[in-house]
């Protein structure tokens, strides 16, 4: 399969994006969900580090470019429908690892308990110390 063919196998949405689920190697924790376009996916493969498409900033976003919390990509998988990617990563830049802009290990830190969303994971580092 040529370089072009592997990108063409992805079912991009109408905006040219695909959902990317990011899972931590070792623990299996889901760290975050983001979006990738063709350039982000190609750049991720080239660098071996996660690069996403920021819908709010309307530009490529190399994870860790501001925070230093880089995601080293161990594998990239495509689901059976071709419309979701699974990136297995090693989270670098802080011990314990931080993936969320809130300073938590994972973006999935709120759990539905009764009728309320309750934070069930601690802030590992104050976001003001991460993003200056």
């Amino acid at each position: 399969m040529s370089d072009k063919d592997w990108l063409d196998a992805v079912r991009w949405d109408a905006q040219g994006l695909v959902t990317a689920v990011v899972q931590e190697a070792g623990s299996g924790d889901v760290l975050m969900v983001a979006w990738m376009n063709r350039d982000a996916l190609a750049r991720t493969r080239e660098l071996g580090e996660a690069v996403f498409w920021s819908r709010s900033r309307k530009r490529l976003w190399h994870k860790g470019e501001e925070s230093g919390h880089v995601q080293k990509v161990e594998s990239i998988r495509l689901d059976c429908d071709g419309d979701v990617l699974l990136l297995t990563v090693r989270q670098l830049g802080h011990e314990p690892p931080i993936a969320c802009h809130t300073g938590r290990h994972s973006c999935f830190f709120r759990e539905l308990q009764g009728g309320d969303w309750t934070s069930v994971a601690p802030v590992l580092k104050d976001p003001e110390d991460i993003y200056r």
Side-chain angles (χ1 to χ4, degrees):
M1 190 176 273
S2 74
D3 276 354
K4 185 175 187 257
D5 292 340
W6 73 271
L7 286 167
D8 290 342
V10 177
R11 287 184 44 205
W12 308 97
D13 72 9
Q15 291 77 44
L17 301 174
V18 66
T19 303
V21 176
V22 181
Q23 182 180 41
E24 185 176 44
S27 74
D29 290 347
V30 175
L31 299 177
M32 56 182 280
V33 174
W35 296 93
M36 296 179 109
N37 63 9
R38 289 177 75 92
D39 291 339
L41 183 52
R43 191 84 175 121
T44 295
R45 179 180 177 218
E46 178 185 320
L47 291 175
E49 295 178 355
V51 177
F52 303 105
W53 175 256
S54 171
R55 294 179 300 166
S56 61
R57 294 178 264 189
K58 306 233 184 303
R59 67 171 179 83
L60 290 181
W61 157 48
H62 185 170
K63 177 71 171 150
E65 67 189 21
E66 293 178 27
S67 66
H69 301 143
V70 173
Q71 292 175 339
K72 200 77 168 154
V73 176
E74 293 196 354
S75 72
I76 303 171
R77 293 184 181 205
L78 183 63
D79 81 326
C80 58
D81 294 324
D83 61 358
V84 178
L85 296 169
L86 174 64
L87 278 63
T88 304
V89 305
R90 293 247 175 242
Q91 186 69 45
L92 307 175
H94 189 269
E95 281 300 325
I98 294 173
C100 185
H101 75 281
T102 66
R104 292 175 174 86
H105 175 67
S106 167
C107 294
F108 296 94
F109 61 88
R110 291 181 282 192
E111 182 176 326
L112 187 58
Q113 295 180 352
D116 294 315
W117 292 106
T118 303
S119 179
V120 295
V123 172
L124 302 174
K125 188 167 185 177
D126 186 331
E128 290 189 21
D129 294 334
I130 298 170
Y131 304 97
R132 295 175 189 220

